Structures are given as C-alpha cells and as structure tokens.
Amino acid sequence: MIYRPRTYYLLVLSLILHISFSSASDDGYRDRMSSGSRAFRDDNLSQAFREFKAAHEMAPDSLAPLQSLGQVEFKREKWGEAKEWFEKVLKIDKADIAAHYYLGICHREIAKYKALLLRRLEFRKAQRYLKFVMENSPSYGLVFYEYGVLEKYREHFTEAVDFAERQLAYKPGADQALIGLHRLYDSMLYHKNGDNLRTWLAGRNTPRARLYIGESYRRSDDFVRADSVFMHLMLLPDSVIISKTPLRMALARLRYQQGGIDEGENFFRQALDSAKTLFDVDFLFEEMKYIFTDVELEGYLSLKTAGEKRELLSKMWQIRNPLFATEENPRMLEHIRRVLQAEKYYRYDGVRSKMNSPDKLQYLTYPKVFYLNDKYNDKGLVYIRHGEPDDRAFMNSQGAPENESWLYYRGQSTPKLMFHFFIDEAAGPTNWRLSPTIPDYMAESRLDFDPIFYRMLIADRLEGNSLQLELADRSRRDVEVGLNSDRHSWTDRIIPIGFPFYISTFHGENGATRYELYFGLSHLDIWPKMENYAPDKKVTAYFSAVDESWNTVYHDQLDVSAEKIKFDTDMFGLWVDQFQFDARPGLHFINIVIRVADENKVGGYKYHTTIGSYGRELLQMSKLELAREILATDETNKFVKNGLRVIPQPVRTFSKKDPVYVYFEVYNLPVVNGNRLDFNVTYKIKQLRKEKTSILAKITGIFGGGMSETSNTIERFADQRTSVEYLALDLNKQSQGDYRLEVLTFVPETGQADSSSIKFFLK
C-alpha cells in the first residue's frame, strides 16, 4: 500500500478489530475473522480483505465482516468501496456509530474530486453523518477534528479551527488532533491572513491563538510585532503553554528573516533538543517531512517513543550537515531558507487529482514520502529538497500552457536532475504539477539543458515519438530519485577554501585500525591577494569521524595563526598537520573543515569510507605515507611513529631535486622464536602521464616512447613480526608528470606477499 498519511488518516484511531462471534458459531467463520484481523494488524490489506470477504459470505447478516471490510477499504483509501460496505452496516444497524463516522469521512474525501454541485451534495452527506456522531457519541474517534477538516474543504477556515479546538476538549491528550489543529491554523493564515483574522484570533485569548497572531505578523513581514508576540509567549511558564516547539520553530524562521542567521539555527536546535513529548517530535516531523527519504520514513513510523523519534530526527540533520565536525549546521539553515521561499512562492493546499495533473497517463511514479505533502505544489517539493535550480527555462507564447523546467547540475555525490512543471487547464493558478515530457515545440527553449532537446527539435514525427518516450523515462527516474533525496547548496556569501589531503591507515591497538588524515594549507589559498590577511588571524581546523550509526568515534580541532601558515608556506611550500584516531573496522563518515575567524571563508570535505582490518594472520602491509621528511627522533608528538618523525606531504607533489620519502609498516612477518627472517621490498614507479613543458616536447611527445617504469628490490631482514620501513627515493632523472608508486613485500621462505600503492606528482 502507498503510504498516504493525509489529515484524516493520521488522526483516525488505531483500528483494532474487536470481533463478536455471537452471530456465527461456525469454526471456519471464526478462523477467517481471526486470520483477517492478524493480516490487518500486519498491514497485509489484500490478505485481510480476502479473509473478511470469505467470512462475510459465510455469514451475510453479520456486522463484523462488513465493518472489517469497510475499514480495510478505508485504510486503502478506496473511498467509494469503503462507503458501500459501511452503508451495508447501516442497513443492519442504523445507529452504528463507527459506520456513521467512516461514512462521513468517505463522503468528504469523495467530494474533493467532484464538480461543484456534486461536491456540495457530498459535503452535505459528510456533514450529516459526522453530526450524528457528534450528537450521539461526541467522544468517538476524532469526530470534531474530522468535521473541522470538512469545514476547511468548504473553505470555512475559522469554523475549521473552532471544531478542531473543540476536539481537544474531549480528548486533550490526542497529539494527532493537536498536530492537525496546527495544520488548520496554518491553512487559515494562508487563505485569510490580515487584520480581520488577527482580530478574530485576539478574541480567543489563548497562547495558541497568540502564536498564530505572531505568525500572521511574520508572514506579513511585520517582524517587530511578530517578535514581540513570540518573545512574550516564550516567557510563559510551561504549565500555561502546551508545548513551545511550534514557538521555537516560528522564532527560527523569524530570526532568519530578520538577518539573525545564527539565532535562527539556535532556535531550531532548541526545538529539537527540548522535544520531550510525542507531540513535540511529531510537530518537528511536520517541519522536516519534506526532506525525508522512504527509508527514514519507514524508520520513523516504526518508532514508539519520543526519545527514539528525536534521536532519528537529530541523526537526519547530522547526516545532511556538510560541516558536522563543527558546531554549525548550514544544511539546517538552508532548510529554513528554502521553507521560507516555498511558503512565499510555492504554496498550494488544494485538491491534487488526476483531472488537474498534466501527467494524464500517470507515467510518473513517486516515492512514499511524496504523499506526505499537504501544503506545497510540486515546485515547492523540489525546491525544499534541492534548492535553487542551476538553470530554469520556460516558453511564453500564445496557446502554450504555463510551463517551466528546472535543471540541477551533477554534483560530487548528486546526479544531474531535470524536472518539468505545468499548470493544467483544469488546475488552479498555483497548482504546478510535474510532467514526464514537454511538447516538441518547447524543445528550443531547453536546448542548454540536455542534448535530447536538440534531437527533439530536429526529429521527424516517428523519431519524435521515440524521443518523447526517452524523455519520459528520464523524467520518471529523476522524479523517483529527486523526490527521495536532497542536496545542500551554499549561499553566495560563502567563499570556499580548497586544500589538499589524503589518508593512510596502520595497525592500531587492540584490534583497531589507526586512521591518519594529512592535510595542508597555503596562506595564498585563503588570501589569494593577501586581502584581509593579518598575522594574528586565527584559522581553525575541525575533524570528526562517526560510525555507521552516526555515533561519534573521534572529534578534534586545532587552531593555527595566519602567520604560522605563511611562514611554513614560504619555507616548505605548505603548512601541514594531521588528525589520527583508532577505530574498529567498518563504515565511517569523515568530515574535515577549515574555518577562518571573522570571515565567510570555509573549506571542507565530507565522505564515507570503509576502514579496513589488520586482523588477519598472514603477511600484511599498511598504506603508504608520502612525506617531505623522515628523521630519527626521541620526540613524542603526532608526527612521530616508532622513533621516526614523519612529516607528511598532503599535496603529494615533489620536486625532482628532492627525495621522495615513503613510510610504511609490514605486519605478521612469519618470524619464529626471534630468529632472523629475510624478506624483500620491491618498489615500482610507473609514470601515468607526462607533463609537457615546451612546444618541442609536446610535438616530439606524439612520436616519442611510452611512459617510463622503474623497479628496484631491496633485501631486508627482521627478527620481529612487525617491521617499520621507509624509503628515500631519488627521482632526479625522471621526467615531470604523474606517477604511481607500488611497494611489494615478499617473503621467499613462505611465498607470502602483499602490496600497497599511491599516486603522486613529480615536478
């Protein structure tokens, strides 16, 4: 079943079938009903329907199978079929409360897709059934809230809020009704915001009404009054206001709009960190659901406690944070910015039907999370996930429907995506919907997007049909991927810093692997023209490693002055440092970030890696570490390994006149009782690409020989199972270019061997 948690469904009580067997004593009937109940609880609705249908055929006059069949179809959102089953219930028992309740909701949902006169007729039927429940069993289900949703569909927005508020008088602990009530307040503001609405809200004199007075001011860009309302509410004791989570989220948006970017993030974090109840976390879910993946949604729905849900939401932000090694989360800020844009430009909470969709043949398929949407058009959904498109195109000509296409370039970890939006003739003015294709005559306006549009422009009719299918297939893929993923984008105010790094791993303590990351900085990478350079300016490097469950394995940061970076760059070509930690083998996520104090300059890398194991008994080599210097020392610091000071060369570029130092370790040498063991170390240096330095070299290179390759073997011996090794390679006679160094360790006595390799550049 496609998960479609619309307003009414989220708020319907859990359907636990209490089955009475008094009307039928046949064992087969009992078995069918019990089997159907189990299938229903397991969400196997097809099986449940078959079992209940069989039970109904055994006992046509029994209420239980009819009620159960109606609930199955209701859960499958087959409103017409559910309506028919509940109507059969009423033929047997005209006062059945559950049948009236579900019939009211069914008629309400059927009405959305009807023409105006028929819609009113269905709404009146829904009203009649729901009022019967309110008058005869007002505490049943969430009947007042469901009636409030009916009033929203009728565009009676204040009445919708009134009925939903009455629901809380009957069930003050109904968190789902409270979530739905906030949705109705939000919809009311969208449709009726202004002085009259604020007067109406002021007459209610409740903290919740005052919250939405503040929201009304915020959405009208009256930030001073909004701030006054919100801060007054923040001073209220917790015993007066049900939850401050909606208030903190409102303040997060307001502070962002006021330019207090960091304060906006702080209020968002407060909302997340202080969430203690199911209402708190479910309200945050409403804020975040537009970036969920199907896997995350499944995980969230499986959780029962507020603590578990809060932890999942927190990890979602960690996973998306490009700077998770720092205390900042620019992805969270970018989410606030995108939601504000969507709120202003992409709002739509009307009917989304097949009739007003440009995809008449329903070619596009959507992930489950797509159906969580209840307030944006399709442009808004894409925008919240992926931000401002890299390119837009539209065709504005007489007779052409409103259209626009968005292009997102391929990123380091994100695919190229294209989305095509149309407003169908039967749709409202803001109901932008995704389409699998565009008409051939619009191809010219999208020529810069992709070669397929040029092919469409020049194609004959037969080839054009084939290209339409090709474009539809690509659109289906892009929609499936794009609406089940998201990407971060930086604002223009961020100035990126590039810097080199690479990693090596070694045998660690107690079965762990030692992971070392080497990085370097040049002052010219940060201040290319020495603008804003000051010797005492601070640069901070942050590093964090987390495991696959996003538990922190290691975190560290270090500060360095601009003066030190410049001095080392002038002396050695680069200031270098490293982070290192021991970790259990397995998947890890790594983040290194460079930040300049008091400047909008940031550099960083975020990636995942599988840290290998050095736990096997056979001969094994560490990774290779390229260094600009290796010297014996008595010092103890991060650069010292086994009595050697190894200064890494993160850029992996060496001058031909200087030696290339290589450090590595060999493990599990088959040494017995400390006896001497001979082994060989062979290094091979292969040129991968020549760097042409002159016109003559470029010409002769066409006819010259192949890439050079050098190999040499060194005889070594050991009396311990681990051997520390390093090489100083003289490559003065090699030509400039890219190389790969491979080091092979071989034990002639046993035939065991292992190797490791690394690339570098020689200049």
Side-chain angles (χ1 to χ4, degrees):
M1 170 190 167
I2 292 177
Y3 178 76
R4 300 187 180 184
R6 302 180 192 272
T7 300
Y8 53 81
Y9 188 69
L10 279 172
L11 305 178
V12 172
L13 295 177
S14 299
L15 302 179
I16 303 173
L17 302 181
H18 300 285
I19 301 168
S20 171
F21 299 116
S22 57
S23 62
S25 58
D26 182 78
D27 288 341
Y29 171 86
R30 292 173 181 268
D31 291 342
R32 292 288 191 177
M33 290 300 295
S34 297
S35 178
S37 299
R38 287 193 298 271
F40 186 87
R41 285 192 297 268
D42 293 340
D43 212 29
N44 186 350
L45 300 183
S46 296
Q47 178 65 23
F49 185 87
R50 287 192 294 270
E51 297 294 341
F52 292 143
K53 186 72 183 300
H56 169 60
E57 291 170 353
M58 293 177 182
D61 297 327
S62 177
L63 279 176
L66 293 172
Q67 293 167 332
S68 301
L69 287 164
Q71 289 175 346
V72 169
E73 297 293 51
F74 182 90
K75 196 172 183 181
R76 291 200 285 201
E77 299 184 359
K78 294 184 176 181
W79 312 118
E81 291 85 342
K83 177 179 72 71
E84 291 176 3
W85 290 114
F86 287 119
E87 286 173 344
K88 291 178 181 179
V89 170
L90 291 186
K91 287 181 180 179
I92 298 174
D93 182 359
K94 294 181 179 180
D96 189 281
I97 294 296
H100 280 85
Y101 182 78
Y102 291 118
L103 277 168
I105 297 173
C106 288
H107 280 288
R108 184 190 72 196
E109 296 306 312
I110 289 170
K112 291 194 302 184
Y113 306 105
K114 298 286 188 179
L116 183 60
L117 293 177
L118 293 176
R119 186 184 312 156
R120 289 176 178 172
L121 179 62
E122 293 291 340
F123 280 156
R124 283 198 291 269
K125 291 179 181 178
Q127 174 180 310
R128 184 173 72 250
Y129 285 118
L130 291 174
K131 277 196 170 182
F132 179 90
V133 180
M134 288 190 288
E135 292 167 359
N136 292 279
S137 185
S139 62
Y140 186 87
L142 299 175
V143 64
F144 286 93
Y145 171 76
E146 298 294 353
Y147 196 90
V149 176
L150 171 62
E151 292 291 50
K152 176 200 166 186
Y153 288 179
R154 288 167 150 175
E155 299 184 2
H156 303 158
F157 298 104
T158 54
E159 291 85 348
V161 168
D162 275 335
F163 276 100
E165 287 279 10
R166 288 177 63 186
Q167 181 66 68
L168 297 180
Y170 285 95
K171 293 188 177 179
D175 291 337
Q176 292 177 336
L178 189 54
I179 292 289
L181 174 59
H182 279 278
R183 286 202 207 102
L184 293 176
Y185 269 105
D186 176 80
S187 181
M188 179 178 66
L189 280 188
Y190 170 61
H191 290 281
K192 296 192 65 174
N193 196 15
D195 291 337
N196 290 338
L197 181 61
R198 285 191 286 270
T199 300
W200 182 84
L201 287 166
R204 305 181 69 80
N205 196 30
T206 65
R208 186 160 43 247
R210 291 202 292 275
L211 168 67
Y212 283 96
I213 290 175
E215 270 290 278
S216 173
Y217 284 129
R218 183 189 68 78
R219 297 187 194 190
S220 301
D221 295 337
D222 191 342
F223 300 144
V224 174
R225 289 185 180 179
D227 184 81
S228 176
V229 173
F230 291 155
M231 294 313 295
H232 175 75
L233 289 171
M234 282 297 291
L235 296 175
L236 294 178
D238 292 344
S239 58
V240 175
I241 189 167
I242 293 177
S243 168
K244 289 185 177 177
T245 297
L247 178 58
R248 290 188 173 101
M249 290 306 304
L251 277 163
R253 290 187 285 268
L254 175 64
R255 288 292 183 267
Y256 191 99
Q257 289 173 292
Q258 291 175 307
I261 306 299
D262 293 338
E263 279 192 88
E265 181 182 346
N266 287 338
F267 275 115
F268 203 139
R269 288 179 180 273
Q270 286 179 30
L272 192 57
D273 295 341
S274 64
K276 294 181 174 60
T277 68
L278 284 172
F279 168 77
D280 291 336
V281 292
D282 286 342
F283 187 90
L284 289 171
F285 170 82
E286 291 292 307
E287 295 282 338
M288 294 173 56
K289 65 187 181 182
Y290 299 102
I291 59 170
F292 264 68
T293 67
D294 278 355
V295 172
E296 289 167 337
L297 175 63
E298 184 179 353
Y300 186 85
L301 294 175
S302 70
L303 301 176
K304 305 299 181 185
T305 69
E308 291 172 327
K309 291 184 174 184
R310 183 181 63 248
E311 183 178 358
L312 184 145
L313 297 178
S314 296
K315 286 185 176 178
M316 280 182 59
W317 285 119
Q318 280 183 285
I319 291 168
R320 287 164 170 78
N321 185 1
L323 306 180
F324 70 81
T326 73
E327 295 181 355
E328 306 171 57
N329 193 331
R331 181 65 184 90
M332 186 179 283
L333 283 172
E334 175 64 6
H335 180 72
I336 296 173
R337 188 196 68 79
R338 292 178 186 179
V339 167
L340 288 170
Q341 288 292 102
E343 178 183 88
K344 192 171 184 178
Y345 298 109
Y346 305 124
R347 185 68 191 251
Y348 178 78
D349 63 356
V351 176
R352 299 169 57 89
S353 68
K354 299 175 186 176
M355 295 296 295
N356 59 29
S357 171
D359 183 16
K360 301 299 185 187
L361 298 179
Q362 295 184 280
Y363 196 83
L364 297 177
T365 55
Y366 300 94
K368 294 177 182 178
V369 287
F370 172 80
Y371 299 100
L372 297 172
N373 174 41
D374 54 16
K375 59 198 280 188
Y376 301 111
N377 57 36
D378 288 355
K379 278 187 178 181
L381 294 184
V382 173
Y383 189 89
I384 291 174
R385 287 185 175 274
H386 299 283
E388 189 67 28
D390 295 305
D391 200 358
R392 298 172 185 247
F394 63 91
M395 182 176 219
N396 188 8
S397 64
Q398 188 174 6
E402 289 192 72
N403 65 93
E404 191 168 340
S405 295
W406 289 3
L407 172 66
Y408 292 91
Y409 298 151
R410 181 180 180 86
Q412 188 175 13
S413 58
T414 52
K416 174 183 176 180
L417 296 173
M418 287 191 299
F419 300 98
H420 309 292
F421 306 99
F422 286 83
I423 295 182
D424 192 76
E425 292 179 356
T430 62
N431 189 9
W432 286 95
R433 302 285 294 276
L434 284 160
S435 172
T437 62
I438 64 170
D440 291 341
Y441 67 85
M442 292 184 181
E444 186 174 4
S445 61
R446 275 81 166 170
L447 291 179
D448 293 337
F449 273 34
D450 192 89
I452 193 173
F453 297 111
Y454 179 74
R455 293 160 57 202
M456 289 173 63
L457 188 66
I458 63 173
D460 58 27
R461 179 174 294 182
L462 182 61
E463 185 183 6
N465 292 336
S466 175
L467 289 171
Q468 284 285 339
L469 289 174
E470 182 181 336
L471 180 60
D473 285 339
R474 290 181 59 176
S475 294
R476 178 159 54 187
R477 179 207 65 193
D478 286 356
V479 166
E480 289 172 350
V481 172
L483 293 182
N484 200 24
S485 63
D486 65 285
R487 70 181 74 192
H488 179 64
S489 54
W490 296 94
T491 61
D492 292 337
R493 64 191 184 91
I494 295 295
I495 302 173
I497 301 171
F499 61 93
F501 81 98
Y502 77 98
I503 63 101
S504 289
T505 61
F506 303 90
H507 198 302
E509 299 291 333
N510 302 316
T513 296
R514 188 169 77 252
Y515 188 95
E516 298 186 355
L517 183 145
Y518 319 112
F519 65 102
L521 284 172
S522 164
H523 63 288
L524 295 176
D525 289 333
I526 305 173
W527 302 282
K529 299 179 181 179
M530 298 300 287
E531 76 289 358
N532 299 322
Y533 171 83
D536 61 347
K537 185 157 285 191
K538 184 177 73 172
V539 178
T540 302
Y542 303 87
F543 181 84
S544 192
V546 299
D547 62 21
E548 60 183 329
S549 298
W550 282 84
N551 300 309
T552 300
V553 174
Y554 178 79
H555 178 82
D556 197 7
Q557 70 181 69
L558 58 89
D559 298 326
V560 60
S561 68
E563 183 179 34
K564 172 64 173 172
I565 294 174
K566 184 177 184 304
F567 177 83
D568 281 18
T569 302
D570 292 340
M571 287 291 293
F572 309 111
L574 208 64
W575 170 82
V576 302
D577 213 309
Q578 68 184 57
F579 291 107
Q580 59 194 47
F581 64 96
D582 279 12
R584 294 293 174 186
L587 180 64
H588 288 72
F589 297 87
I590 309 295
N591 189 210
I592 180 170
V593 177
I594 304 296
R595 266 290 199 189
V596 181
D598 304 320
E599 293 190 46
N600 292 325
K601 294 180 178 179
V602 61
Y605 299 92
K606 174 185 175 183
Y607 60 95
H608 64 271
T609 183
T610 299
I611 297 179
S613 171
Y614 288 98
R616 73 187 193 194
E617 291 298 319
L618 297 176
L619 182 75
Q620 197 169 9
M621 285 182 61
S622 72
K623 300 296 183 183
L624 305 180
E625 178 182 353
L626 297 178
R628 75 176 186 215
E629 176 185 271
I630 299 180
L631 292 173
T633 183
D634 294 329
E635 299 174 359
T636 55
N637 58 53
K638 67 174 70 175
F639 296 115
V640 176
K641 288 191 270 283
N642 300 296
L644 296 172
R645 185 176 69 181
V646 184
I647 306 299
Q649 180 70 313
V651 75
R652 289 187 286 174
T653 295
F654 296 86
S655 171
K656 293 196 297 179
K657 64 182 182 180
D658 297 326
V660 176
Y661 290 98
V662 187
Y663 176 89
F664 60 97
E665 297 172 2
V666 183
Y667 312 116
N668 304 323
L669 286 162
V671 173
V672 179
N673 298 325
N675 295 325
R676 172 177 168 139
L677 176 77
D678 295 322
F679 65 96
N680 298 331
V681 173
T682 300
Y683 65 87
K684 299 178 182 179
I685 300 171
K686 182 176 182 179
Q687 190 171 32
L688 303 176
R689 183 177 65 88
K690 287 184 179 180
E691 188 78 9
K692 307 298 189 303
T693 58
S694 67
I695 295 295
L696 179 61
K698 292 177 181 178
I699 295 173
T700 57
I702 300 173
F703 306 101
M707 301 300 178
S708 65
E709 184 169 343
T710 302
S711 179
N712 194 20
T713 298
I714 305 170
E715 295 183 354
R716 299 283 292 142
F717 72 90
D719 55 11
Q720 298 182 44
R721 287 178 59 79
T722 296
S723 180
V724 175
E725 302 289 331
Y726 75 93
L727 305 170
L729 305 176
D730 181 3
L731 302 179
N732 185 51
K733 295 182 179 180
Q734 302 296 319
S735 59
Q736 181 170 300
D738 291 310
Y739 289 83
R740 182 178 67 244
L741 167 66
E742 181 181 16
V743 179
L744 172 70
T745 301
F746 176 68
V747 180
E749 184 178 319
T750 63
Q752 294 183 44
D754 196 21
S755 65
S756 188
S757 65
I758 193 169
K759 295 178 181 179
F760 65 95
F761 183 80
L762 198 63
K763 64 179 181 178

